[in-house]
């Protein structure tokens, strides 16, 4: 199985249909799909080559396409309800746990990605785009500078629940 990470530059009606038609035209099976108007993760069964990636990349509204040869399963739940339940439970018992969980989740995601990508910048950028496809954040930009890295996000999931896991 291969995951395609499709970054969206301009959401529009029919964009997802155009992407899946390119995949279908190659007689490939889509096993799983998750995403939003910023990015899409598509799990594909079959051979994924450069031609497929280029054809999807040429679709109007698509920014970039990457093939990911990592095996992972998407855990699905209703985000709003899960976060409210988690915040309610944790806030009554151990408020700082929310921030620690977010930090540890970020570390584990980076460790997992770095095991397959040796360039830290690529791994960081990929991880942030993956979190965007999963609806955790909405990545705007990443700037790598000599002494610091600036990550700009439009929205993070913790804005809805009033519990800061992401920092300014």
């Amino acid at each position: 199985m291969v995951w395609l990470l499709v970054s969206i530059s301009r959401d529009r009606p029919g964009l997802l249909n155009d992407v899946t038609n390119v995949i279908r035209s190659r007689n490939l099976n889509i096993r799983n799909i998750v995403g939003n108007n910023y990015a899409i993760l598509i799990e594909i069964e079959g051979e994924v080559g450069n031609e497929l990636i280029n054809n999807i990349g040429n679709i109007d509204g698509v920014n970039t396409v990457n093939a990911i040869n990592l095996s992972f399963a998407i855990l699905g739940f209703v985000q709003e309800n899960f976060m409210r339940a988690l915040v309610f439970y944790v806030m009554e018992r151990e408020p700082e746990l929310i921030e620690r969980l977010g930090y540890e989740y970020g570390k584990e995601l980076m460790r997992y990605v770095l095991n397959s990508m040796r360039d830290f910048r690529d791994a960081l950028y990929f991880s942030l785009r993956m979190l965007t496809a999963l609806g955790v954040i909405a990545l705007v930009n990443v700037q790598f500078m000599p002494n610091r890295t600036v990550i700009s996000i439009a929205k993070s999931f913790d804005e809805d629940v009033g519990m800061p896991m992401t920092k300014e």
Side-chain angles (χ1 to χ4, degrees):
M1 303 293 168
V2 174
W3 286 90
L4 290 181
L5 176 57
V6 181
S7 271
I8 307 300
S9 61
R10 183 179 65 83
D11 191 22
R12 62 173 177 78
L15 178 61
L16 182 59
N17 185 57
D18 292 347
V19 171
T20 57
N21 278 340
V22 169
I23 296 167
R24 186 177 49 85
S25 73
R26 305 278 184 305
N27 203 30
L28 297 171
N29 187 33
I30 296 175
R31 303 274 307 186
N32 199 344
I33 188 165
V34 64
N36 50 48
N37 58 337
Y38 298 103
I40 306 166
L41 277 168
I42 305 170
E43 184 181 22
I44 296 179
E45 183 177 40
E47 191 69 30
V48 173
N50 288 332
E51 183 182 350
L52 174 70
I53 292 170
N54 291 336
N55 287 345
I56 294 172
N58 289 330
I59 294 172
D60 180 38
V62 171
N63 186 28
T64 59
V65 181
N66 297 94
I68 307 158
N69 291 307
L70 296 175
S71 177
F72 58 87
I74 301 295
L75 173 65
F77 51 84
V78 178
Q79 179 179 312
E80 264 182 60
N81 297 347
F82 178 79
M83 287 306 299
R84 284 193 182 118
L86 182 63
V87 168
F88 177 77
Y89 180 82
V90 172
M91 287 305 290
E92 289 201 355
R93 286 161 182 79
E94 193 177 351
E96 65 276 357
L97 180 61
I98 291 281
E99 188 173 332
R100 286 199 335 251
L101 281 171
Y103 175 75
E104 292 301 325
Y105 176 71
K107 274 186 9 186
E108 283 304 311
L109 180 61
M110 283 302 297
R111 185 180 350 252
Y112 186 71
V113 172
L114 280 171
N115 282 336
S116 66
M117 297 179 176
R118 290 294 160 211
D119 185 294
F120 174 78
R121 290 178 181 199
D122 288 345
L124 176 63
Y125 187 59
F126 165 78
S127 298
L128 292 169
R129 286 179 38 222
M130 179 188 286
L131 289 172
T132 298
L134 295 172
V136 176
I137 63 170
L139 179 65
V140 174
N141 192 23
V142 178
Q143 294 176 314
F144 295 102
M145 298 176 210
N147 294 325
R148 66 185 179 137
T149 300
V150 177
I151 301 168
S152 303
I153 59 174
K155 179 181 185 289
S156 59
F157 70 93
D158 56 358
E159 289 176 357
D160 296 332
V161 295
M163 195 61 209
M165 237 190 254
T166 51
K167 302 232 185 232
E168 299 249 354

